[in-house]
């Protein structure tokens, strides 16, 4: 099989690298052991020489480990690399051998399917009545097979675990008449969403929330510059810091490059990730949601983090300050504060 890096792969890598640069230190600082799971690991290197996801995950973790050595020297970083294809698996093993890996890094590599490997891991944990340590699972198949929803649900049942899934929407749509995808979605209802724009990703996210009790999901669509959809990436977490960092990773993913990244969480409101984003949807959403109410800056920031694709840095100076200047909102600041939106600031929004 040729292993050329495709455009879409680069887009995926950019986001994942951005996110892991934040996830590794945040999680390692506060936990004795953390796990990076690469469920469809690949051969470790592309034909053009670019690193595959397991290799750059190791490199990013190592760079962070060395930078914060004093704080991290007693921590354990576990890497679970799962690759079903034997040729790819061997190639990956050779790539790993070339790296100089700290002794605190433990690598568990498995030449089996994602489903079987995860079931084995769960069975060991269940027998020991133990939890999976805080984990980030990157689930990156070629197609639509081999990712039962039950496995994703089980990962998300452990504390501090997250998943980042490459949801191959086009594969499901193409094969809707010949394949049953109920296992992927954990429901037979997927068929009702195939023809709705953004429907399958919306349904997957709803399944995560309703069936797997996930608190926060965010999905992103990657298109090429010809505007053809390539895939949707779905992120699920129960942690607000993770959510914040994943959104930042998306916004950082080179908006001037060959791809268009769009927030897909709400199919009715597609927001493009750009260097100079259009913040009109954020302004409108705040005016609608808080109409006639007084809200603290903290409440507004929490709302924006959870319910919108926008970042904290989009709120105070870029959205609220212009609204105040135009007299649309009234701002009441804590004693001694005359401008800005420091903690304790309250904002009165006009009624609709
Ligand atoms: C899209 S590639 C992974 C690329 C890799 N994550 C990266 O970014 O460098 C998918 C890989 O999954 C492997 N694979 C296919 N079916 C699998 C399964 N059921 N379980 C685990 N690996 C599988 C393929 O051999 C292939 O190497």
């Amino acid at each position: 099989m040729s292993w050329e890096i495709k455009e879409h792969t680069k887009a995926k890598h950019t986001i994942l690298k951005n996110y892991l640069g934040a996830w590794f230190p945040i999680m390692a600082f506060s936990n004795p052991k953390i796990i990076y799971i690469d469920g469809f690991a690949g051969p470790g290197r592309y034909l053009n020489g670019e690193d595959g996801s397991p290799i750059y995950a190791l490199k990013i973790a190592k760079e962070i480990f060395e930078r914060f050595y004093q704080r991290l020297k007693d921590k354990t970083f576990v890497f679970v690399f799962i690759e079903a294809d034997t040729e790819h698996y061997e190639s990956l093993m050779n790539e790993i051998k070339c790296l100089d890996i700290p002794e605190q890094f433990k690598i568990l590599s498995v030449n089996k399917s994602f489903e079987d490997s995860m079931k084995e891991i769960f069975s060991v944990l269940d027998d020991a009545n133990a939890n999976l340590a805080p984990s980030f699972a990157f689930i990156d198949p070629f197609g639509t097979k081999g990712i039962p929803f039950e496995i994703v649900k089980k990962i998300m049942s452990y504390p501090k675990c997250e998943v980042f899934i490459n949801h191959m929407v086009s594969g499901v749509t193409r094969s809707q008449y010949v394949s049953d995808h109920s296992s992927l979605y954990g429901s037979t209802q997927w068929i009702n969403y195939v023809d709705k724009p953004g429907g399958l990703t919306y349904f997957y996210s709803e399944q995560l929330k309703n069936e797997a009790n996930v608190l926060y999901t965010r999905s992103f669509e990657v298109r090429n510059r010809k505007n053809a959809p390539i895939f949707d990436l779905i992120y699920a977490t129960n942690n607000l810091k993770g959510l914040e960092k994943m959104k930042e990773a998306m916004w950082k993913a080179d908006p001037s490059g060959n791809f268009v990244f769009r927030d897909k969480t709400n199919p009715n409101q597609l927001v493009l990730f750009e260097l100079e984003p259009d913040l009109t949807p954020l302004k409108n959403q705040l005016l609608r949601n808080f109409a006639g109410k007084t809200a603290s800056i903290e409440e507004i920031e929490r709302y924006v983090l959870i319910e919108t694709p926008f970042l904290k840095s989009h709120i105070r100076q870029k959205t609220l300050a212009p609204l105040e200047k135009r007299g649309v909102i009234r701002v009441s600041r804590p004693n001694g504060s005359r401008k800005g939106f420091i903690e304790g600031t309250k904002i009165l929004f006009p009624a609709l």
Side-chain angles (χ1 to χ4, degrees):
M1 185 188 305
S2 81
W3 190 255
E4 285 169 67
I5 189 153
K6 302 241 169 56
E7 271 203 297
H8 65 264
T9 310
K10 285 190 193 158
K12 206 165 49 189
H13 286 189
T14 309
I15 299 159
L16 187 58
K17 284 177 188 170
N18 285 344
Y19 184 69
L20 289 179
W23 186 82
F24 277 122
I26 290 173
M27 296 307 284
F29 287 156
S30 52
N31 297 283
K33 185 204 259 188
I34 58 169
I35 308 181
Y36 169 80
I37 301 173
D38 208 319
F40 293 73
R45 187 158 305 283
Y46 292 84
L47 281 183
N48 72 344
E50 194 156 320
D51 291 340
S53 52
I55 302 300
Y56 63 71
L58 282 166
K59 286 184 178 172
I60 292 169
K62 184 177 174 209
E63 199 265 313
I64 286 159
F65 179 77
E66 287 171 352
R67 184 159 19 122
F68 300 106
Y69 180 75
Q70 282 310 323
R71 285 177 77 183
L72 296 178
K73 62 183 185 332
D74 299 323
K75 306 295 175 105
T76 305
F77 290 60
V78 180
F79 296 83
V80 179
F81 297 138
I82 303 169
E83 171 54 54
D85 178 273
T86 302
E87 225 176 280
H88 284 183
Y89 177 80
E90 281 167 5
S91 160
L92 176 60
M93 295 305 99
N94 286 331
E95 292 298 333
I96 292 173
K97 268 191 216 137
C98 302
L99 300 176
D100 181 16
I101 299 202
E103 64 179 37
Q104 289 83 347
F105 286 19
K106 311 288 174 216
I107 298 179
L108 170 66
S109 41
V110 198
N111 182 201
K112 285 187 190 166
S113 75
F114 173 64
E115 179 174 358
D116 290 348
S117 310
M118 291 311 299
K119 281 184 176 160
E120 278 176 31
I121 293 173
F122 296 148
S123 148
V124 171
L125 292 171
D126 286 349
D127 288 349
N129 207 7
N131 277 328
L132 188 64
S135 302
F136 175 85
F138 178 40
I139 301 174
D140 181 29
F142 272 138
T144 58
K145 298 279 172 224
I147 325 163
F149 186 76
E150 286 309 306
I151 301 279
V152 174
K153 180 175 169 179
K154 179 86 173 164
I155 294 174
M156 290 308 299
S157 72
Y158 295 108
K160 301 189 192 173
C161 287
E162 309 188 331
V163 293
F164 189 44
I165 302 169
N166 180 3
H167 178 217
M168 300 297 273
V169 185
S170 54
V172 176
T173 310
R174 250 195 327 268
S175 61
Q176 60 178 296
Y177 301 112
V178 288
S179 297
D180 179 9
H181 295 290
S182 301
S183 161
L184 172 64
Y185 294 96
S187 160
T188 53
Q189 297 302 310
W190 64 274
I191 196 76
N192 300 325
Y193 293 83
V194 175
D195 294 327
K196 300 191 176 115
L200 286 171
T201 292
Y202 170 78
F203 182 56
Y204 198 96
S205 304
E206 286 299 291
Q207 284 292 95
L208 284 167
K209 285 187 181 157
N210 299 331
E211 299 297 321
N213 299 318
V214 169
L215 290 179
Y216 313 114
T217 68
R218 219 72 247 136
S219 56
F220 310 95
E221 182 186 55
V222 181
R223 289 184 173 232
N224 64 23
R225 282 280 167 198
K226 291 179 190 143
N227 210 27
I230 308 176
F231 50 62
D232 289 357
L233 297 165
I234 300 177
Y235 168 71
T237 186
N238 291 310
N239 182 281
L240 279 180
K241 194 79 189 161
L243 180 65
E244 184 182 343
K245 293 295 162 192
M246 180 54 88
K247 284 168 65 179
E248 286 173 7
M250 285 301 306
W251 279 96
K252 264 200 274 174
D254 188 15
S256 57
N258 286 324
F259 312 99
V260 179
F261 300 105
R262 305 204 296 184
D263 188 85
K264 198 77 187 292
T265 309
N266 174 357
N268 299 319
Q269 191 214 67
L270 288 178
V271 170
L272 215 56
F273 294 88
E274 291 176 306
L275 278 179
E276 289 303 330
D278 175 11
L279 297 177
T280 317
L282 174 60
K283 182 191 74 185
N284 291 341
Q285 204 171 331
L286 291 180
L287 289 173
R288 235 185 358 258
N289 187 69
F290 293 103
K293 293 184 198 147
T294 298
S296 67
I297 185 68
E298 294 83 358
E299 277 172 84
I300 296 171
E301 287 181 344
R302 188 181 159 84
Y303 170 79
V304 171
L305 171 59
I306 297 172
E307 303 294 344
T308 84
F310 293 99
L311 303 179
K312 206 173 180 175
S313 60
H314 294 143
I315 304 171
R316 297 186 185 197
Q317 291 316 316
K318 293 183 178 158
T319 303
L320 294 178
L323 283 175
E324 183 185 16
K325 208 166 165 195
R326 283 173 33 218
V328 179
I329 53 172
R330 289 229 311 274
V331 180
S332 137
R333 298 188 163 84
N335 281 347
S337 164
R338 288 161 160 248
K339 57 182 184 167
F341 296 86
I342 62 164
E343 309 310 278
T345 299
K346 300 234 187 293
I347 293 114
L348 171 62
F349 288 83
L352 278 181

